[in-house]
Amino acid sequence: MKTLFRYSQVIFLLLLSFSVSAQESMLCQGAYWEEDEANSYLKKWANEWTSQKDWEARADVIRKGIIDGMKLEQMPERTTEFNPIIHSTREMDGYIIENIAIESFRGFFITGNLYRPLDPGPFHKSPAILSPHGHGKDKRYQDVVQYRAAALARMGAVVFVYDMLGYADSQQTSHTIPIALTLQTYNSIRVLDYLTSREDVDPTQIGVTGGSGGGTQTILITALDPRITVSVPAVMVSAYFFGGCVCESGMPIHKSAQHQTNNVEIAALAAPRPMLLISDGGDWTKNTPRIEFPYIQKVYAAYGAESKADNVHLPNERHDYNYNKRTAAYNFFGHYLDINPGKVPYNDGYDESFVTILSVEELKVFNTSHPIPAHALQGDEAVMRYLKLD
């Protein structure tokens, strides 16, 4: 009997090892292809479809690959009350900023800051903009994020800047938890649920923008949720680079036994909704005007919507979401959302000097006065055990 039990254990471990190896073989990580190799794939795919109907059939396969690859349908039903924790409301020059946490699922909190227009009008519902951020030490607190969120709020948008896992206030898991990609995508959907539930938000006008890893989150939420109406992924969409972090490519969303795709096609799932690609000459988006954007234009052309896809390429800049990239986003959102860029001072360019840069302590959600709720899950193991993703 003991021999049989040990034999069964060996078989189980072998099957588990095979399953893990099979999944790992489907991962497309980092610079997965050479640049010319990636271009050849785009050319091949472009020849495989010619009409909107053809593209939508391919889009269904790609979208299913994302959902299945990250096991999104195994996540909890989105019925948990948000139980928002909002405090430290401050009136600034044309905008309001608050510290906020909402409950994503029971015991797990999305943390960030909410920027709102100071005077939207008594009967006016504002557009909303999701603002996921990229990698970098506690990025939500950095000046570049505060400038962007405050400017868009002064223009008339409700902007939710929220943490990546393991950054700033989001310390319930590490950033390298194996299901980081799933958790961050689910959190984006829950942020969208929250914003569209607010009485001061127009649920028909929802934008999203983020740079680098935030750009990955931007294309994923746009691909999966039709409630996003305007998308601005910055310094991320590449034909050959798939994202270098577990939160971007740590699960098999680009490849399965039935399909192969890349971030260009995932970004193209935005069509025919307005999308601006922001790219530069100092990272993996350096080829965007020649390689990535023409493919996306082909997708938009299938809908007769070429005017809604745009690319701002800054060949002399590097991997960031600094001033020139932000102002390109301001113009694009100003065109497609009911906000007024004219509310931000302009003098040979947008003048962001009205923004008050707040300290880390001022922006924190959880502190001695506002501790994380006692029922919060703590640690990778506790979250994995609660979710039971198989």
Side-chain angles (χ1 to χ4, degrees), residues 68-79:
D68 291 349
M70 69 170 65
K71 302 180 181 180
L72 188 60
E73 291 185 336
Q74 295 181 39
M75 288 292 286
E77 292 289 329
R78 304 194 324 266
T79 54

Side-chain angles (χ1 to χ4, degrees), residues 238-269:
S238 168
Y240 73 92
F241 186 76
F242 287 70
C245 180
V246 64
C247 78
E248 300 174 283
S249 55
M251 300 182 80
I253 64 170
H254 299 98
K255 184 180 181 180
S256 70
Q258 290 75 41
H259 88 299
Q260 170 76 70
T261 189
N262 63 5
N263 283 344
V264 179
E265 290 200 302
I266 291 176
L269 295 177

Side-chain angles (χ1 to χ4, degrees), residues 23 62-78 104-105 179-190 193 217 219-227 251-253 387-390:
Q23 176 167 311
I62 296 167
R63 197 172 286 110
K64 185 177 188 302
I66 298 170
I67 293 169
D68 291 349
M70 69 170 65
K71 302 180 181 180
L72 188 60
E73 291 185 336
Q74 295 181 39
M75 288 292 286
E77 292 289 329
R78 304 194 324 266
S104 185
F105 53 88
I179 57 169
L181 176 55
T182 311
L183 281 178
Q184 288 190 171
T185 304
Y186 185 87
N187 280 352
S188 290
I189 296 171
R190 292 295 283 158
D193 289 342
Q217 294 180 69
I219 64 174
L220 286 172
I221 182 65
T222 305
L224 297 177
D225 202 313
R227 292 176 294 175
M251 300 182 80
I253 64 170
L387 292 174
K388 300 177 183 176
L389 292 191
D390 54 33

Side-chain angles (χ1 to χ4, degrees), residues 31 33 40 59 65 75 85 119-120 132 137 191 199 211 241 257-258 262 269 277 283 291 308 332 335 361 371 375 390:
W33 288 326
S40 70
M75 288 292 286
I85 300 166
D119 184 20
K137 181 174 173 54
V191 168
E199 292 186 357
F241 186 76
Q258 290 75 41
N262 63 5
L269 295 177
L277 297 181
D283 62 21
I291 305 300
K308 293 180 180 177
F332 197 77
H335 184 69
E361 292 303 317
H375 70 281
D390 54 33

